[in-house]
Amino acid sequence: MNNVLIIGSGCAGLTAAIYAGRANLKPLVIDGHEPGGQLAITTMVENFPGFPEGILGPDLIENMRKQAQKFGAEFKSGSITDVDLGKRPFKITAGNEVYETRALIIAAGATARLLGLESERKLIGYGVSTCATCDGYFFRGKEIAVVGGGDSAMEEANFLSRFASKVYVIHRRNEFRASRIMLDRARANEKLQFITPVVVEDITDVSKGGVETMILRNTQSNEVSTLPVSGVFIAIGHVPNTRVFRGKLDMDENGYLITHHGSRTKVPGVFAAGDVQDHFYKQAVTAAGSGCMAAIDAEKFLEANPG
Ligand code: NAP
């Protein structure tokens, strides 16, 4: 029996683990299928307070993990396949393992969104990627593309230009969602070429088991063109990891968990933190802040409801 089980080991989950650990609750953290969350696959983080020179995402997350372990947090790997929130203790299933817990903190984060093309799905890992940090190295000297118009797309395109000979930024509108500073940095990079307003109709060549071209359609002229590339990085946002909570917790139309009065969900004793409940701020520091809130809320809940 656990006092607090935390689903997810990104910025929110680890901050919750640090606080719950320091409150002597011996939290159990279930890593999930992307240990470390999105910070683990990002590069330099320049806006996390306390690091004037910036800090690499994987280093930041590793430090948080060590800090949580120092205060007694335990870690188990596994993806959550079912949850029973009907009564306490809650039952959390991860494959063959079933965990019982008096309080639950959901910090399961969000996963990269895909375009939804059949060819994209078949070529993931064969030239199509959602993680520049993981796969950029494979494209040394190659021409590649990044799809998206947000900060992620700009960051990935800049990062990938260290390896690639050319990086096309493919975006469906002429306007960009990316912040001014990230966009300016990308525009100043001579290896980047912007192609807008276009949508990706297809990626070839599935029959050859690798990426050869992108088929693009201009949304204004409807003109279809072919762009030869060796790799395609999809950077079009994220989907919250909330499938197992469907019908059990309140969600908005995009599947983000709805919280109230801090981190509370509609089930007493179940709290949510980080990107799983935040489609607006989505920052490392806000995820950390909400993880702290969830741990404090769980601690107060357990004081009042020890059972
Ligand atoms: P985002 O801001 O939601 O941007 C997603 C982009 O993908 C948008 O340009 C969107 O186009 C496009 N898109 C979405 N669905 C699409 C589809 N089906 N087909 C084609 N294009 C599609 O997501 P993000 O860039 O991942 O950023 C998420 C958050 O993290 C933001 O708050 C951002 O500031 C933050 N972030 C910060 C940093 C940093 O500061 N270092 C780095 C990365 C991310 P439309 O604009 O047309 O909707």
mmCIF file of all heavy atoms in Angstrom, residues 38 42 44-47 113-116 147-155 170-173 175-179 182 198-200 235-238 275 279-283, ligand 1:
data_model
loop_
_atom_site.group_PDB
_atom_site.id
_atom_site.type_symbol
_atom_site.label_atom_id
_atom_site.label_comp_id
_atom_site.label_asym_id
_atom_site.label_seq_id
_atom_site.Cartn_x
_atom_site.Cartn_y
_atom_site.Cartn_z
ATOM 1 N N GLN A 38 9.009 15.465 -21.472
ATOM 2 C CA GLN A 38 9.511 16.214 -22.631
ATOM 3 C C GLN A 38 10.863 16.879 -22.390
ATOM 4 O O GLN A 38 11.611 17.130 -23.337
ATOM 5 C CB GLN A 38 8.480 17.248 -23.052
ATOM 6 C CG GLN A 38 7.263 16.581 -23.661
ATOM 7 C CD GLN A 38 6.186 17.579 -23.973
ATOM 8 O OE1 GLN A 38 6.433 18.546 -24.682
ATOM 9 N NE2 GLN A 38 5.006 17.375 -23.444
ATOM 10 N N THR A 42 14.582 17.356 -24.875
ATOM 11 C CA THR A 42 14.798 18.712 -25.383
ATOM 12 C C THR A 42 16.285 19.070 -25.252
ATOM 13 O O THR A 42 17.072 18.283 -24.723
ATOM 14 C CB THR A 42 13.891 19.739 -24.659
ATOM 15 O OG1 THR A 42 13.919 20.948 -25.406
ATOM 16 C CG2 THR A 42 14.344 20.007 -23.248
ATOM 17 N N MET A 44 18.718 22.828 -24.865
ATOM 18 C CA MET A 44 18.994 23.834 -23.840
ATOM 19 C C MET A 44 17.694 24.471 -23.342
ATOM 20 O O MET A 44 16.866 24.884 -24.141
ATOM 21 C CB MET A 44 19.908 24.896 -24.441
ATOM 22 C CG MET A 44 20.477 25.853 -23.447
ATOM 23 S SD MET A 44 21.399 25.047 -22.130
ATOM 24 C CE MET A 44 22.990 24.851 -22.886
ATOM 25 N N VAL A 45 17.530 24.514 -22.036
ATOM 26 C CA VAL A 45 16.384 25.202 -21.431
ATOM 27 C C VAL A 45 16.910 26.518 -20.881
ATOM 28 O O VAL A 45 17.752 26.520 -19.985
ATOM 29 C CB VAL A 45 15.753 24.345 -20.313
ATOM 30 C CG1 VAL A 45 14.567 25.051 -19.681
ATOM 31 C CG2 VAL A 45 15.341 22.983 -20.846
ATOM 32 N N GLU A 46 16.426 27.603 -21.454
ATOM 33 C CA GLU A 46 17.001 28.901 -21.088
ATOM 34 C C GLU A 46 16.129 29.699 -20.141
ATOM 35 O O GLU A 46 16.501 30.777 -19.702
ATOM 36 C CB GLU A 46 17.231 29.733 -22.367
ATOM 37 C CG GLU A 46 18.289 29.147 -23.260
ATOM 38 C CD GLU A 46 18.461 29.929 -24.549
ATOM 39 O OE1 GLU A 46 17.477 30.537 -25.018
ATOM 40 O OE2 GLU A 46 19.579 29.935 -25.081
ATOM 41 N N ASN A 47 14.913 29.167 -19.865
ATOM 42 C CA ASN A 47 13.969 29.972 -19.087
ATOM 43 C C ASN A 47 13.556 29.323 -17.780
ATOM 44 O O ASN A 47 12.583 29.734 -17.165
ATOM 45 C CB ASN A 47 12.731 30.302 -19.941
ATOM 46 C CG ASN A 47 12.156 29.075 -20.620
ATOM 47 O OD1 ASN A 47 12.537 27.961 -20.287
ATOM 48 N ND2 ASN A 47 11.270 29.276 -21.567
ATOM 49 N N ARG A 113 2.001 14.966 -31.127
ATOM 50 C CA ARG A 113 0.892 14.791 -32.076
ATOM 51 C C ARG A 113 1.473 14.447 -33.445
ATOM 52 O O ARG A 113 2.548 14.927 -33.815
ATOM 53 C CB ARG A 113 0.106 16.101 -32.148
ATOM 54 C CG ARG A 113 -1.073 16.046 -33.095
ATOM 55 C CD ARG A 113 -1.768 17.388 -33.175
ATOM 56 N NE ARG A 113 -2.548 17.672 -31.976
ATOM 57 C CZ ARG A 113 -2.593 18.840 -31.371
ATOM 58 N NH1 ARG A 113 -1.892 19.847 -31.821
ATOM 59 N NH2 ARG A 113 -3.338 19.006 -30.304
ATOM 60 N N LEU A 114 0.742 13.617 -34.182
ATOM 61 C CA LEU A 114 1.171 13.270 -35.544
ATOM 62 C C LEU A 114 0.193 13.861 -36.548
ATOM 63 O O LEU A 114 -0.929 14.238 -36.196
ATOM 64 C CB LEU A 114 1.241 11.747 -35.689
ATOM 65 C CG LEU A 114 2.348 11.067 -34.865
ATOM 66 C CD1 LEU A 114 2.226 9.556 -34.942
ATOM 67 C CD2 LEU A 114 3.731 11.509 -35.339
ATOM 68 N N LEU A 115 0.625 13.907 -37.813
ATOM 69 C CA LEU A 115 -0.226 14.477 -38.856
ATOM 70 C C LEU A 115 -1.408 13.573 -39.176
ATOM 71 O O LEU A 115 -2.447 14.037 -39.630
ATOM 72 C CB LEU A 115 0.595 14.687 -40.144
ATOM 73 C CG LEU A 115 1.736 15.701 -40.044
ATOM 74 C CD1 LEU A 115 2.663 15.573 -41.238
ATOM 75 C CD2 LEU A 115 1.164 17.112 -39.958
ATOM 76 N N GLY A 116 -1.227 12.277 -38.962
ATOM 77 C CA GLY A 116 -2.321 11.332 -39.226
ATOM 78 C C GLY A 116 -2.229 10.658 -40.585
ATOM 79 O O GLY A 116 -3.191 10.048 -41.031
ATOM 80 N N VAL A 147 8.085 19.931 -39.581
ATOM 81 C CA VAL A 147 6.710 20.376 -39.801
ATOM 82 C C VAL A 147 6.203 21.052 -38.539
ATOM 83 O O VAL A 147 6.295 20.477 -37.445
ATOM 84 C CB VAL A 147 5.788 19.182 -40.156
ATOM 85 C CG1 VAL A 147 4.371 19.674 -40.463
ATOM 86 C CG2 VAL A 147 6.354 18.395 -41.326
ATOM 87 N N GLY A 148 5.647 22.269 -38.673
ATOM 88 C CA GLY A 148 5.082 22.975 -37.524
ATOM 89 C C GLY A 148 5.457 24.443 -37.531
ATOM 90 O O GLY A 148 6.430 24.840 -38.184
ATOM 91 N N GLY A 149 4.686 25.235 -36.783
ATOM 92 C CA GLY A 149 4.940 26.670 -36.757
ATOM 93 C C GLY A 149 5.033 27.228 -35.350
ATOM 94 O O GLY A 149 4.941 28.433 -35.135
ATOM 95 N N GLY A 150 5.217 26.338 -34.367
ATOM 96 C CA GLY A 150 5.319 26.776 -32.968
ATOM 97 C C GLY A 150 6.769 26.825 -32.498
ATOM 98 O O GLY A 150 7.702 26.629 -33.296
ATOM 99 N N ASP A 151 6.958 27.063 -31.202
ATOM 100 C CA ASP A 151 8.307 27.121 -30.632
ATOM 101 C C ASP A 151 9.057 25.803 -30.814
ATOM 102 O O ASP A 151 10.271 25.797 -31.053
ATOM 103 C CB ASP A 151 8.235 27.448 -29.129
ATOM 104 C CG ASP A 151 8.018 28.929 -28.892
ATOM 105 O OD1 ASP A 151 8.271 29.728 -29.820
ATOM 106 O OD2 ASP A 151 7.587 29.293 -27.788
ATOM 107 N N SER A 152 8.331 24.687 -30.688
ATOM 108 C CA SER A 152 8.992 23.380 -30.837
ATOM 109 C C SER A 152 9.598 23.257 -32.226
ATOM 110 O O SER A 152 10.738 22.813 -32.375
ATOM 111 C CB SER A 152 8.004 22.232 -30.636
ATOM 112 O OG SER A 152 7.533 22.230 -29.341
ATOM 113 N N ALA A 153 8.835 23.637 -33.247
ATOM 114 C CA ALA A 153 9.326 23.519 -34.622
ATOM 115 C C ALA A 153 10.562 24.391 -34.824
ATOM 116 O O ALA A 153 11.541 23.962 -35.441
ATOM 117 C CB ALA A 153 8.212 23.911 -35.599
ATOM 118 N N MET A 154 10.530 25.625 -34.283
ATOM 119 C CA MET A 154 11.685 26.528 -34.447
ATOM 120 C C MET A 154 12.911 25.972 -33.719
ATOM 121 O O MET A 154 14.022 25.971 -34.245
ATOM 122 C CB MET A 154 11.367 27.927 -33.893
ATOM 123 C CG MET A 154 10.208 28.616 -34.555
ATOM 124 S SD MET A 154 10.313 28.619 -36.350
ATOM 125 C CE MET A 154 8.722 27.949 -36.785
ATOM 126 N N GLU A 155 12.677 25.477 -32.498
ATOM 127 C CA GLU A 155 13.778 24.946 -31.708
ATOM 128 C C GLU A 155 14.385 23.723 -32.404
ATOM 129 O O GLU A 155 15.605 23.588 -32.510
ATOM 130 C CB GLU A 155 13.265 24.554 -30.316
ATOM 131 C CG GLU A 155 14.362 24.120 -29.386
ATOM 132 C CD GLU A 155 13.837 23.818 -27.990
ATOM 133 O OE1 GLU A 155 13.082 22.839 -27.821
ATOM 134 O OE2 GLU A 155 14.168 24.552 -27.064
ATOM 135 N N ILE A 170 8.242 23.526 -42.650
ATOM 136 C CA ILE A 170 6.990 23.379 -43.401
ATOM 137 C C ILE A 170 5.841 23.766 -42.473
ATOM 138 O O ILE A 170 5.651 23.132 -41.423
ATOM 139 C CB ILE A 170 6.796 21.888 -43.821
ATOM 140 C CG1 ILE A 170 8.062 21.322 -44.476
ATOM 141 C CG2 ILE A 170 5.543 21.697 -44.646
ATOM 142 C CD1 ILE A 170 8.366 21.874 -45.813
ATOM 143 N N HIS A 171 5.085 24.782 -42.857
ATOM 144 C CA HIS A 171 3.987 25.214 -41.971
ATOM 145 C C HIS A 171 2.732 25.527 -42.779
ATOM 146 O O HIS A 171 2.812 26.032 -43.895
ATOM 147 C CB HIS A 171 4.442 26.432 -41.160
ATOM 148 C CG HIS A 171 3.404 26.945 -40.215
ATOM 149 N ND1 HIS A 171 2.609 26.101 -39.456
ATOM 150 C CD2 HIS A 171 3.023 28.211 -39.904
ATOM 151 C CE1 HIS A 171 1.781 26.837 -38.725
ATOM 152 N NE2 HIS A 171 2.013 28.107 -38.978
ATOM 153 N N ARG A 172 1.566 25.228 -42.175
ATOM 154 C CA ARG A 172 0.305 25.327 -42.921
ATOM 155 C C ARG A 172 -0.233 26.756 -43.066
ATOM 156 O O ARG A 172 -1.186 26.989 -43.806
ATOM 157 C CB ARG A 172 -0.751 24.433 -42.265
ATOM 158 C CG ARG A 172 -1.116 24.823 -40.843
ATOM 159 C CD ARG A 172 -2.079 23.803 -40.261
ATOM 160 N NE ARG A 172 -2.408 24.101 -38.874
ATOM 161 C CZ ARG A 172 -3.158 23.307 -38.114
ATOM 162 N NH1 ARG A 172 -3.633 22.178 -38.600
ATOM 163 N NH2 ARG A 172 -3.414 23.642 -36.868
ATOM 164 N N ARG A 173 0.350 27.703 -42.309
ATOM 165 C CA ARG A 173 -0.099 29.100 -42.430
ATOM 166 C C ARG A 173 1.109 29.991 -42.688
ATOM 167 O O ARG A 173 2.250 29.588 -42.461
ATOM 168 C CB ARG A 173 -0.755 29.566 -41.123
ATOM 169 C CG ARG A 173 -2.048 28.851 -40.815
ATOM 170 C CD ARG A 173 -2.736 29.481 -39.621
ATOM 171 N NE ARG A 173 -1.959 29.392 -38.376
ATOM 172 C CZ ARG A 173 -1.861 30.353 -37.486
ATOM 173 N NH1 ARG A 173 -2.450 31.522 -37.690
ATOM 174 N NH2 ARG A 173 -1.165 30.180 -36.381
ATOM 175 N N GLU A 175 1.372 32.781 -40.940
ATOM 176 C CA GLU A 175 1.628 33.323 -39.601
ATOM 177 C C GLU A 175 2.141 32.193 -38.722
ATOM 178 O O GLU A 175 1.791 31.028 -38.935
ATOM 179 C CB GLU A 175 0.347 33.893 -38.972
ATOM 180 C CG GLU A 175 -0.305 35.004 -39.762
ATOM 181 C CD GLU A 175 -1.041 34.490 -40.989
ATOM 182 O OE1 GLU A 175 -1.592 33.373 -40.946
ATOM 183 O OE2 GLU A 175 -1.035 35.201 -42.020
ATOM 184 N N PHE A 176 2.930 32.564 -37.720
ATOM 185 C CA PHE A 176 3.533 31.548 -36.855
ATOM 186 C C PHE A 176 3.067 31.701 -35.420
ATOM 187 O O PHE A 176 2.885 32.819 -34.936
ATOM 188 C CB PHE A 176 5.057 31.645 -36.913
ATOM 189 C CG PHE A 176 5.604 31.163 -38.224
ATOM 190 C CD1 PHE A 176 5.642 32.007 -39.330
ATOM 191 C CD2 PHE A 176 6.016 29.857 -38.356
ATOM 192 C CE1 PHE A 176 6.114 31.554 -40.545
ATOM 193 C CE2 PHE A 176 6.488 29.396 -39.571
ATOM 194 C CZ PHE A 176 6.540 30.244 -40.667
ATOM 195 N N ARG A 177 2.894 30.575 -34.759
ATOM 196 C CA ARG A 177 2.516 30.551 -33.353
ATOM 197 C C ARG A 177 3.762 30.735 -32.457
ATOM 198 O O ARG A 177 3.648 31.056 -31.284
ATOM 199 C CB ARG A 177 1.869 29.190 -33.060
ATOM 200 C CG ARG A 177 0.984 29.135 -31.862
ATOM 201 C CD ARG A 177 0.344 27.752 -31.799
ATOM 202 N NE ARG A 177 -0.684 27.576 -32.797
ATOM 203 C CZ ARG A 177 -1.964 27.851 -32.594
ATOM 204 N NH1 ARG A 177 -2.360 28.290 -31.426
ATOM 205 N NH2 ARG A 177 -2.850 27.685 -33.548
ATOM 206 N N ALA A 178 4.928 30.512 -33.039
ATOM 207 C CA ALA A 178 6.183 30.586 -32.273
ATOM 208 C C ALA A 178 6.385 31.990 -31.706
ATOM 209 O O ALA A 178 5.913 32.982 -32.270
ATOM 210 C CB ALA A 178 7.354 30.230 -33.177
ATOM 211 N N SER A 179 7.102 32.063 -30.558
ATOM 212 C CA SER A 179 7.393 33.359 -29.956
ATOM 213 C C SER A 179 8.367 34.127 -30.856
ATOM 214 O O SER A 179 9.125 33.534 -31.629
ATOM 215 C CB SER A 179 7.984 33.169 -28.558
ATOM 216 O OG SER A 179 9.095 32.303 -28.628
ATOM 217 N N MET A 182 12.125 33.127 -30.823
ATOM 218 C CA MET A 182 12.436 31.824 -31.444
ATOM 219 C C MET A 182 12.319 31.928 -32.967
ATOM 220 O O MET A 182 13.112 31.358 -33.713
ATOM 221 C CB MET A 182 11.474 30.745 -30.930
ATOM 222 C CG MET A 182 11.475 30.554 -29.444
ATOM 223 S SD MET A 182 12.908 29.654 -28.848
ATOM 224 C CE MET A 182 12.317 27.992 -28.975
ATOM 225 N N VAL A 198 1.644 25.555 -46.577
ATOM 226 C CA VAL A 198 1.475 24.239 -47.210
ATOM 227 C C VAL A 198 1.083 23.174 -46.185
ATOM 228 O O VAL A 198 1.444 23.271 -45.010
ATOM 229 C CB VAL A 198 2.770 23.759 -47.925
ATOM 230 C CG1 VAL A 198 3.114 24.638 -49.112
ATOM 231 C CG2 VAL A 198 3.927 23.682 -46.957
ATOM 232 N N VAL A 199 0.329 22.190 -46.670
ATOM 233 C CA VAL A 199 0.045 21.018 -45.829
ATOM 234 C C VAL A 199 0.755 19.818 -46.448
ATOM 235 O O VAL A 199 0.999 19.788 -47.660
ATOM 236 C CB VAL A 199 -1.476 20.741 -45.702
ATOM 237 C CG1 VAL A 199 -2.147 21.777 -44.835
ATOM 238 C CG2 VAL A 199 -2.153 20.659 -47.058
ATOM 239 N N VAL A 200 1.072 18.864 -45.590
ATOM 240 C CA VAL A 200 1.754 17.650 -46.056
ATOM 241 C C VAL A 200 0.683 16.661 -46.492
ATOM 242 O O VAL A 200 -0.140 16.242 -45.683
ATOM 243 C CB VAL A 200 2.628 17.039 -44.926
ATOM 244 C CG1 VAL A 200 3.395 15.827 -45.453
ATOM 245 C CG2 VAL A 200 3.563 18.082 -44.346
ATOM 246 N N ALA A 235 6.672 18.385 -35.539
ATOM 247 C CA ALA A 235 6.702 19.198 -34.308
ATOM 248 C C ALA A 235 5.434 20.052 -34.267
ATOM 249 O O ALA A 235 5.475 21.276 -34.344
ATOM 250 C CB ALA A 235 7.954 20.078 -34.301
ATOM 251 N N ILE A 236 4.282 19.352 -34.148
ATOM 252 C CA ILE A 236 2.997 20.066 -34.252
ATOM 253 C C ILE A 236 2.190 19.997 -32.950
ATOM 254 O O ILE A 236 0.963 20.022 -32.964
ATOM 255 C CB ILE A 236 2.151 19.526 -35.429
ATOM 256 C CG1 ILE A 236 1.886 18.024 -35.279
ATOM 257 C CG2 ILE A 236 2.841 19.824 -36.762
ATOM 258 C CD1 ILE A 236 0.842 17.496 -36.254
ATOM 259 N N GLY A 237 2.882 19.934 -31.840
ATOM 260 C CA GLY A 237 2.182 19.956 -30.563
ATOM 261 C C GLY A 237 1.992 18.566 -29.973
ATOM 262 O O GLY A 237 2.589 17.598 -30.459
ATOM 263 N N HIS A 238 1.167 18.504 -28.953
ATOM 264 C CA HIS A 238 1.067 17.285 -28.150
ATOM 265 C C HIS A 238 -0.367 16.924 -27.798
ATOM 266 O O HIS A 238 -1.247 17.775 -27.832
ATOM 267 C CB HIS A 238 1.897 17.456 -26.877
ATOM 268 C CG HIS A 238 3.357 17.495 -27.181
ATOM 269 N ND1 HIS A 238 3.983 18.659 -27.598
ATOM 270 C CD2 HIS A 238 4.290 16.527 -27.186
ATOM 271 C CE1 HIS A 238 5.263 18.382 -27.841
ATOM 272 N NE2 HIS A 238 5.462 17.105 -27.603
ATOM 273 N N ASP A 275 1.491 18.988 -17.801
ATOM 274 C CA ASP A 275 0.865 19.123 -19.120
ATOM 275 C C ASP A 275 -0.390 18.282 -19.293
ATOM 276 O O ASP A 275 -1.178 18.543 -20.208
ATOM 277 C CB ASP A 275 1.859 18.738 -20.226
ATOM 278 C CG ASP A 275 2.917 19.801 -20.437
ATOM 279 O OD1 ASP A 275 2.958 20.762 -19.644
ATOM 280 O OD2 ASP A 275 3.700 19.681 -21.395
ATOM 281 N N HIS A 279 -3.123 22.940 -21.114
ATOM 282 C CA HIS A 279 -2.894 23.091 -22.559
ATOM 283 C C HIS A 279 -2.496 24.517 -22.892
ATOM 284 O O HIS A 279 -2.332 24.880 -24.043
ATOM 285 C CB HIS A 279 -4.145 22.724 -23.350
ATOM 286 C CG HIS A 279 -5.332 23.550 -22.966
ATOM 287 N ND1 HIS A 279 -5.601 24.756 -23.542
ATOM 288 C CD2 HIS A 279 -6.290 23.343 -22.028
ATOM 289 C CE1 HIS A 279 -6.686 25.268 -22.977
ATOM 290 N NE2 HIS A 279 -7.117 24.437 -22.064
ATOM 291 N N PHE A 280 -2.304 25.351 -21.884
ATOM 292 C CA PHE A 280 -2.053 26.765 -22.153
ATOM 293 C C PHE A 280 -0.616 27.183 -21.844
ATOM 294 O O PHE A 280 0.100 27.672 -22.722
ATOM 295 C CB PHE A 280 -3.034 27.637 -21.370
ATOM 296 C CG PHE A 280 -2.905 29.099 -21.694
ATOM 297 C CD1 PHE A 280 -3.324 29.585 -22.922
ATOM 298 C CD2 PHE A 280 -2.325 29.971 -20.789
ATOM 299 C CE1 PHE A 280 -3.170 30.930 -23.242
ATOM 300 C CE2 PHE A 280 -2.168 31.324 -21.103
ATOM 301 C CZ PHE A 280 -2.592 31.799 -22.327
ATOM 302 N N TYR A 281 -0.159 26.971 -20.609
ATOM 303 C CA TYR A 281 1.187 27.442 -20.248
ATOM 304 C C TYR A 281 2.262 26.468 -20.733
ATOM 305 O O TYR A 281 3.245 26.889 -21.341
ATOM 306 C CB TYR A 281 1.297 27.676 -18.739
ATOM 307 C CG TYR A 281 0.355 28.741 -18.242
ATOM 308 C CD1 TYR A 281 -0.802 28.408 -17.561
ATOM 309 C CD2 TYR A 281 0.615 30.080 -18.495
ATOM 310 C CE1 TYR A 281 -1.683 29.386 -17.119
ATOM 311 C CE2 TYR A 281 -0.253 31.068 -18.059
ATOM 312 C CZ TYR A 281 -1.405 30.714 -17.373
ATOM 313 O OH TYR A 281 -2.261 31.675 -16.949
ATOM 314 N N LYS A 282 2.097 25.181 -20.392
ATOM 315 C CA LYS A 282 2.949 24.110 -20.903
ATOM 316 C C LYS A 282 4.452 24.361 -20.736
ATOM 317 O O LYS A 282 5.248 24.009 -21.601
ATOM 318 C CB LYS A 282 2.630 23.840 -22.383
ATOM 319 C CG LYS A 282 1.199 23.410 -22.613
ATOM 320 C CD LYS A 282 0.935 23.027 -24.052
ATOM 321 C CE LYS A 282 0.682 24.191 -24.946
ATOM 322 N NZ LYS A 282 0.207 23.842 -26.274
ATOM 323 N N GLN A 283 4.844 24.995 -19.679
ATOM 324 C CA GLN A 283 6.255 25.295 -19.445
ATOM 325 C C GLN A 283 6.815 24.380 -18.362
ATOM 326 O O GLN A 283 6.082 23.897 -17.500
ATOM 327 C CB GLN A 283 6.428 26.754 -19.003
ATOM 328 C CG GLN A 283 5.909 27.756 -20.000
ATOM 329 C CD GLN A 283 6.589 27.621 -21.353
ATOM 330 O OE1 GLN A 283 7.799 27.785 -21.464
ATOM 331 N NE2 GLN A 283 5.815 27.306 -22.378
HETATM 332 P P1 NAP B 1 2.129 24.714 -30.399
HETATM 333 O O1 NAP B 1 2.559 26.015 -29.854
HETATM 334 O O2 NAP B 1 0.766 24.213 -30.098
HETATM 335 O O3 NAP B 1 2.322 24.778 -31.980
HETATM 336 C C1 NAP B 1 1.919 23.707 -32.797
HETATM 337 C C2 NAP B 1 2.152 24.085 -34.243
HETATM 338 O O4 NAP B 1 1.847 22.946 -35.069
HETATM 339 C C3 NAP B 1 1.271 25.221 -34.708
HETATM 340 O O5 NAP B 1 2.016 26.076 -35.548
HETATM 341 C C4 NAP B 1 0.157 24.514 -35.481
HETATM 342 O O6 NAP B 1 -0.309 25.237 -36.572
HETATM 343 C C5 NAP B 1 0.870 23.296 -36.018
HETATM 344 N N1 NAP B 1 -0.065 22.177 -36.183
HETATM 345 C C6 NAP B 1 -0.879 21.628 -35.243
HETATM 346 N N2 NAP B 1 -1.572 20.585 -35.759
HETATM 347 C C7 NAP B 1 -1.188 20.483 -37.055
HETATM 348 C C8 NAP B 1 -1.540 19.605 -38.108
HETATM 349 N N3 NAP B 1 -2.418 18.610 -37.927
HETATM 350 N N4 NAP B 1 -0.953 19.797 -39.309
HETATM 351 C C9 NAP B 1 -0.050 20.789 -39.499
HETATM 352 N N5 NAP B 1 0.336 21.649 -38.536
HETATM 353 C C10 NAP B 1 -0.225 21.503 -37.316
HETATM 354 O O7 NAP B 1 3.097 23.529 -29.931
HETATM 355 P P2 NAP B 1 4.661 23.555 -29.619
HETATM 356 O O8 NAP B 1 5.410 24.269 -30.658
HETATM 357 O O9 NAP B 1 4.966 22.114 -29.360
HETATM 358 O O10 NAP B 1 4.790 24.375 -28.260
HETATM 359 C C11 NAP B 1 4.050 23.960 -27.106
HETATM 360 C C12 NAP B 1 4.397 24.853 -25.908
HETATM 361 O O11 NAP B 1 5.724 24.615 -25.477
HETATM 362 C C13 NAP B 1 4.287 26.345 -26.229
HETATM 363 O O12 NAP B 1 3.758 26.996 -25.099
HETATM 364 C C14 NAP B 1 5.709 26.759 -26.453
HETATM 365 O O13 NAP B 1 5.950 28.116 -26.157
HETATM 366 C C15 NAP B 1 6.457 25.830 -25.496
HETATM 367 N N6 NAP B 1 7.831 25.589 -25.981
HETATM 368 C C16 NAP B 1 8.820 26.420 -25.528
HETATM 369 C C17 NAP B 1 10.125 26.223 -25.962
HETATM 370 C C18 NAP B 1 11.208 27.121 -25.442
HETATM 371 O O14 NAP B 1 10.918 28.186 -24.923
HETATM 372 N N7 NAP B 1 12.480 26.727 -25.521
HETATM 373 C C19 NAP B 1 10.434 25.217 -26.875
HETATM 374 C C20 NAP B 1 9.401 24.402 -27.332
HETATM 375 C C21 NAP B 1 8.095 24.607 -26.875
HETATM 376 P P3 NAP B 1 -1.302 26.509 -36.377
HETATM 377 O O15 NAP B 1 -0.438 27.599 -35.818
HETATM 378 O O16 NAP B 1 -1.789 26.757 -37.753
HETATM 379 O O17 NAP B 1 -2.367 26.037 -35.425
#
